[in-house]
């Protein structure tokens, strides 16, 4: 019977993984492959980290740093996010500005990689990368796409779900004027029917009202056409455009039942 030979060193183990196109591993996997002790593994890992061959996004989880990323200290978050979330054993998807950028709306380039998760997780700072996690209890219900990465694939909210999230969590990405700018770029990727399905999954009329208003404001009425019918059938109450601001009515949009309580100034793409 063939018995897999244990790697002689952590460096040899890392090389063997790279040869197979695998760029992440856990502490337990390394201990098993090396037949080593936790203390010896920790020391070996520290030596490779000092040489920028390894990075540790999370305790017990390692990512191999390819040569082209040695200066930045870590490969891009997209290359290991799926494996990291498997390590955490929690559902997730890449969302907000990070998802918008993946879908082609890159005017508001995020300074952090934004991820929704089914549990509260601390931020990850590794090399020049920062991953910020947002708790979302219904994370598994959000429509996603599987996007190919250098090491596999990752879950990314669809353009339609991204648009809803940007409005629902606008305070996490700046302010509504920024959101409006992103929506103007994202609109061409939004399917009107899929937007209704995404709104059904979220089940919040208020978010759909605000999104519809914003889409029409940035000249994307076509993307919002079927969403209006969905909202209108529900006969919702009027909502504030910016719920965290005082109810100082500047204008009122009767079509979407939105009380405009702030000046909206989208950036020019």
């Amino acid at each position: 019977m063939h018995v897999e030979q244990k790697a002689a060193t952590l460096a040899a183990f890392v090389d063997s993984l790279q040869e197979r196109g695998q760029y992440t591993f856990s502490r337990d996997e390394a201990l098993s492959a090396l037949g080593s002790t936790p203390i010896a593994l920790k020391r070996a890992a520290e030596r490779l980290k000092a040489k920028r061959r390894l990075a540790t996004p999370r305790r017990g989880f390692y990512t191999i740093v390819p040569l082209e990323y040695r200066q930045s200290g870590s490969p891009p978050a997209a290359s290991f996010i799926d494996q990291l979330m498997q390590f955490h054993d929690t559902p997730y998807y890449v969302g907000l500005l990070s998802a918008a950028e993946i879908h082609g709306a890159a005017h508001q380039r995020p300074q952090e990689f934004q991820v929704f998760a089914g549990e509260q997780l601390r931020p990850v700072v590794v090399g020049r990368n920062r991953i910020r996690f947002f708790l979302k209890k219904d994370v598994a219900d959000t429509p996603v796409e599987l996007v190919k990465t250098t090491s596999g694939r990752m879950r990314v909210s669809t353009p339609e779900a991204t648009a809803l999230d940007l409005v629902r969590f606008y305070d996490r990405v700046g302010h509504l004027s920024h959101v409006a700018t992103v929506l103007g770029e994202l609109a061409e990727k939004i399917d009107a029917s899929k937007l209704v399905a995404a709104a059904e999954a979220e089940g919040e009329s208020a978010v759909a009202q605000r999104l519809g208003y914003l889409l029409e404001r940035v000249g994307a009425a076509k993307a919002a056409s079927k969403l209006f019918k969905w909202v209108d059938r529900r006969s919702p109450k009027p909502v504030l455009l910016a719920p965290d601001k005082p109810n100082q009515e500047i204008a009122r949009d009767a079509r979407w039942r939105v009380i405009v309580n702030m000046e909206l100034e989208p950036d020019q793409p």
Side-chain angles (χ1 to χ4, degrees):
M1 183 175 67
H2 173 72
V3 178
E4 186 173 347
Q5 186 176 1
K6 292 186 180 297
T9 64
L10 181 59
F13 174 62
V14 167
D15 288 342
S16 70
L17 291 179
Q18 274 193 279
E19 288 171 1
R20 300 199 300 267
Q22 182 177 334
Y23 287 86
T24 63
F25 61 93
S26 69
R27 174 177 174 272
D28 290 344
E29 288 172 329
L31 287 173
S32 176
L34 296 169
S36 178
T37 65
I39 293 177
L41 174 62
K42 181 179 179 180
R43 290 172 178 167
E46 290 298 329
R47 288 194 293 271
L48 291 186
K49 285 169 66 177
K51 296 177 181 178
R52 297 193 175 185
R53 291 193 63 196
L54 276 187
T56 312
R58 194 70 88 198
R59 184 176 180 181
F61 178 85
Y62 300 93
T63 180
I64 298 168
V65 183
L67 184 60
E68 62 268 30
Y69 297 113
R70 297 278 169 86
Q71 282 297 107
S72 59
S74 169
S79 70
F80 61 81
I81 188 62
D82 190 70
Q83 293 85 352
L84 177 62
M85 301 312 287
Q86 289 180 42
F87 175 77
H88 280 299
D89 192 25
T90 189
Y92 83 97
Y93 64 86
V94 178
L96 298 176
L97 294 177
S98 295
E101 182 181 26
I102 290 166
H103 293 307
H107 182 68
Q108 297 288 335
R109 186 174 296 274
Q111 296 182 346
E112 59 189 13
F113 199 68
Q114 299 168 332
V115 178
F116 284 101
E119 64 179 88
Q120 189 66 60
L121 298 173
R122 291 179 292 104
V124 165
V125 179
V126 57
R128 295 177 186 170
N129 290 305
R130 177 181 173 85
I131 305 175
R132 186 180 179 192
F133 297 99
F134 302 95
L135 175 64
K136 191 177 184 183
K137 293 181 179 179
D138 55 350
V139 64
D141 296 332
T142 300
V144 300
E145 296 178 0
L146 295 178
V147 175
K148 188 176 181 181
T149 68
T150 55
S151 60
R153 60 186 186 178
M154 61 181 172
R155 296 169 59 85
V156 180
S157 56
T158 63
E160 299 79 21
T162 301
L164 286 160
D165 274 347
L166 284 167
V167 174
R168 183 181 180 186
F169 300 101
Y170 73 91
D171 57 330
R172 315 285 179 89
V173 297
H175 50 75
L176 274 174
S177 290
H178 283 163
V179 169
T181 301
V182 177
L183 290 175
E185 296 183 303
L186 189 62
E188 64 182 36
K189 297 289 185 68
I190 292 176
D191 179 282
S193 296
K194 290 181 180 179
L195 184 58
V196 172
E200 285 277 10
E202 296 290 348
E204 291 187 26
S205 298
V207 174
Q209 288 168 256
R210 295 181 183 109
L211 174 58
Y213 169 79
L214 290 171
L215 285 172
E216 289 193 349
R217 177 69 186 271
V218 298
K222 183 178 179 181
S225 58
K226 294 184 179 180
L227 184 65
F228 172 74
K229 296 176 183 178
W230 181 82
V231 168
D232 196 47
R233 285 197 301 269
R234 296 166 74 96
S235 300
K237 295 179 180 179
V239 298
L240 294 175
L241 176 60
D244 63 337
K245 294 186 180 300
N247 185 5
Q248 297 177 347
E249 185 173 329
I250 299 172
R252 184 176 293 236
D253 187 282
R255 175 174 164 82
W256 290 98
R257 300 177 175 90
V258 170
I259 300 168
V260 182
N261 61 331
M262 62 167 287
E263 294 288 348
L264 201 63
E265 299 177 349
D267 297 338
Q268 294 298 318

